[in-house]
Structures are given as structure tokens and as C-alpha cells.
Amino acid sequence: MSYETILVERKDSGVAIVRLNRPKVLNALNRQLMGELRDALEQLDNDEAVKVIVITGNERAFAAGADIKEMAPKGAIEMYLEDQFRTWDAIRRVRKPLIAAVSGYALGGGAELAMMCDIIIASDTAQFGQPEIKIGVIPGAGGTQWLPRLIGKSRAMELILTGRMFSAKEAYEWGLVSKIVPAEIYLEEALKMAEEIASMPPVAVQLAKEAINYAYQSFIM
Ligand code: HXC
């Protein structure tokens, strides 16, 4: 399948790389990109040769959020009827591990996409944020749930209510990202980790992912 807004590469190691590819607009997530991303992830998830999927952007931006220019003319009813968040649900259902390799901006929907992944590796230039408040909306793809769960309520409130960006260092200290590496090698490091996971027994890997994610949905009494 060929795509216009993403690039997909499969490696012999069992690792697939999905690169968001709208560099002129900092990989803003328009409907076409999200649809292509969903299709590619579904296909890779069903491909037995693929064990781990790395999602990345470029050095300047992982993704600067939902495409504001596409969204601006739309009213609430049109957006509701389009049901664009169904696409995001499909990404959440991917059973293979997803690693986000983040450099530069990961804002709004871009930060949410990274948080939807199972592991985030950040370059030292990465800047995260939920700036939606500044344009009169709220994080629409899970940021209001993920951020407090991952970094605590008080910090999440501050960041979402002010829209302030935060650095890779802060994200690391708060436990949002698992590793910070120099910008020149962020993808290489993510691929190294992906290859290590891809060499593990695949069913156990998928079950472990499922079990860890279950920790965010329930409490065992
Ligand atoms: C569409 C975007 C974009 C976006 C950047 N661009 N972000 N286009 N949607 N989210 C475009 C710019 O318009 C510009 O295109 C080009 O990318 C380069 O951006 P610049 O602003 O010139 O770069 P810079 O000065 O370096 O500033 C970078 C930035 C800024 C700080 C990231 O672009 C910015 O603040 N972007 C918006 C971030 C944002 O608000 N994200 C949240 C979106 S809402 P042109 O053609 O002008 O050169 C969201 C959730 C919605 O994600 C939930 C709905 C319910």
C-alpha cells in the first residue's frame, strides 16, 4: 500500500518504522495522515514478520498537533459526525509494542499520539505540550486522561490549563519518557531498543503490553 503523508519501512530485524511525513507543517495531523497511520498500523499489526513498530517524525517535529487549518472552519456538529477520534481508537488497539521516537515538537495531538505509544524515547531537543487551551479547545485524544495518570494531577492541570511547553528533561524526570538521547542518535537508539524487544518471545511481549496497559484501567482488589 502506498501512502502520501507517512513513510513505512520494514527491517529484517522484525522492526517497522512509520515516519510521519508532512514536514512543511511540522507533521500536523490532518485526517489523511491519521487515516493512513491507522491503515499502516493495522497492516503491520497483522504482519507476522513485524514484532515492534517505531513511530517517528523528523528532527524538528514529531507532530505539532491536529491540523489547525483543517479544523478551524469546522463546527462542533460536523466534527462530531466525522467521528475522527474513531481513528485514534484503532491505534490504541494495536497489540504489538509501539515506540515513539520523538524529536522537536510533540504538541497537542502530537503529544497524545506519543503518549498512546507504549514507550517514548526523546531527543534532548524534544518539546512536549498540550497548547489547545490557547486556541479555545481541550486536548481531544486522551491528553486529559493520559497526562494526569503519567505525571500526576497537579502538573497535568498546570500544563493543560496554561498550555506551557515542557522539555525532554522535565518529561524524563516526571516519567513520561523512558530515555533522553542526543538528537543525532534518537532514532538509532529507538531502533536499538525496538530490536531488543523484537528478539523476545512475541506472544509474551504482546501479553505483557496488554497486562501493563490493564494497570491503567483497573485496580486489583
Ligand atoms: C497546521 C501547523 C501546525 C498545526 C504548525 N503548522 N503547527 N499547521 N496545524 N498544528 C504550520 C505553520 O502554520 C507553518 O506553516 C509551519 O507549520 C511551520 O510552523 P511555524 O509556526 O512557522 O514554526 P515555528 O515558528 O517554529 O513555531 C512552531 C510552533 C508553532 C511553536 C510548533 O507552529 C505552533 O504553535 N503550532 C501550533 C501548535 C498547536 O497549537 N498544536 C495543537 C493543535 S490542536 P506555514 O504554511 O504558515 O509556513 C490539537 C488538538 C485538537 O492538537 C483537539 C480538538 C478537539
Side-chain angles (χ1 to χ4, degrees), residues 85-116:
F85 295 112
R86 194 186 299 194
T87 311
W88 294 79
D89 290 339
I91 297 170
R92 231 173 264 126
R93 282 196 296 273
V94 172
R95 299 180 82 187
K96 291 176 183 164
L98 296 175
I99 299 180
V102 175
S103 181
Y105 296 113
L107 304 176
E112 290 168 310
L113 177 60
M115 286 191 278
M116 220 171 263

